[in-house]
Amino acid sequence: MSEDFGTVDRRPLATVLAANLVSIAGNCLTYMGVPWFVLQSTGSAARAGIVAFCTLLPAVLAALVTGPVIDRMGRRRVSVASDLACGVAVAAIPLLQFAGILQFWMLCVLMAMTGLFRAPGETARGVLVPTLAERAGMPLTRAAGLYDGAARCAALTASALGGVLIAVLGAENVLLVDAATFAVAAPLFAFGVRGLPEARAQRRAEPASLRVYRRELAEGYHFVAATPLLLGLCLMTLVTRGLDQGWSAVLLPVHAREELDGAVDLGLLNAAFGVCALTGALVYGAVGSRFRRWPVFTIAFLIGGLPRFVVAAFTDTFTPLVVIMAVEGLAFGVLNPIMATVTYETVPEELRSRVLSATTASVQMVTPLGGLAAGSLVDSVGLSSTLLAVGGVYLLATLCPVIFPAWRQMDRIGSPRARAEGSLPQGSGAKRV
């Protein structure tokens, strides 16, 4: 049962939002600065791809297995350790380069370190949102919208400034700025959740062991598998994340190069989408609790799926595409707050770290393959045919909330009756809160 905080205190939520914003901005600068650093220092696109792989794979693996570790160590410790470790790893790259001893394998190891610590740190912060919302006297929908909005704002700001900073300061110095963001985020979060019981290590009757760890890890995955709505969210997001990666990494850049005005139009399209997605998240956070979730989610996903692929396939002008991407940005902005709210209300507090780690890992596993598949299809059948084929698959995925009844539980979860009855799947082995 959640703690009755008595008085409203919004400072912890505000501080954690600020810490998450700074931390995610640091991650975005890493993902921009390191590829440029590799290209400038080696001139090899293949090596840049290897570094990207070394960053992504540990992040997926960490999300797969670190749920119980977050509970045992405590969410405050994990988040702070995550930011400090990422900061040290990122700072080491330019420092070793300045010393003249940086080798390519060292770069790969350091980037693997950032990927390994990033996922558990983000999970540790995210699972505290319901507690922080209650302490702030704020509807969970609004808190989830603010949390997603802060992440989108960080990504948008870092993407906009990253290129300028690289051009002005150079990739090596940008990585030092990047390391400083983690040094700011760690104490911010540590201060923001100080004294919060849910941020501390969870006490267990059994001592830590490999057997206990395996059982606790399995509980998170079992909960997802036994909850049709969560399983549906994971599977649909897994597919659409892969398709989105193909769009952003291959299809849109190729379309901009061949049909539009190259990198300038590509940047404007991404900026329009990002600004509108941020707006959508903040607006939904402010007023979303007044509307039923299932219709909003379903309509938003249908708007955000197929249209951009069709417009890109049948037009070679900028205006129609920027308009549809702005509209899709608004639609996509409401999706993460809804999914986060549904997950928070469905999963017991004691299982949130494990379940959120499981869902994060599940939706990331296919993402790297999206760009590879899209690139192969473009070479085989051409850009227009690939756009229509990928858009068709996207449409089928976004029809799932219309076809399958489990999705309508979005409106039942969180209702007074559902809270009274509990929403755990039978046999989950977890107690209700």
Side-chain angles (χ1 to χ4, degrees), residues 52-75:
F53 178 79
C54 290
T55 305
L56 180 62
L57 181 61
V60 176
L61 295 176
L64 281 170
V65 301
T66 54
V69 177
I70 294 172
D71 288 335
R72 290 277 180 175
M73 289 185 60
R75 293 151 184 176

Side-chain angles (χ1 to χ4, degrees), residues 294-306:
W294 174 74
V296 174
F297 182 88
T298 302
I299 293 170
F301 232 134
L302 287 171
I303 292 174
L306 177 64

Side-chain angles (χ1 to χ4, degrees), residues 111-201:
M111 288 308 298
M113 183 177 171
T114 67
L116 185 67
F117 282 92
R118 176 180 61 83
E122 291 181 359
T123 299
R125 289 189 291 272
V127 295
L128 288 173
V129 170
T131 298
L132 299 174
E134 185 175 359
R135 185 178 286 269
M138 183 181 296
L140 183 53
T141 299
R142 181 173 301 174
L146 289 173
Y147 191 79
D148 185 64
R152 291 185 181 277
C153 181
L156 185 63
T157 303
S159 298
L161 293 179
V164 176
L165 291 175
I166 290 172
V168 174
L169 302 177
E172 296 95 334
N173 292 320
V174 167
L175 292 179
L176 292 176
V177 174
D178 182 9
T181 64
F182 293 111
V184 171
L188 262 179
F189 185 83
F191 172 78
V193 300
R194 183 180 53 185
L196 198 66
E198 289 82 357
R200 300 170 185 162

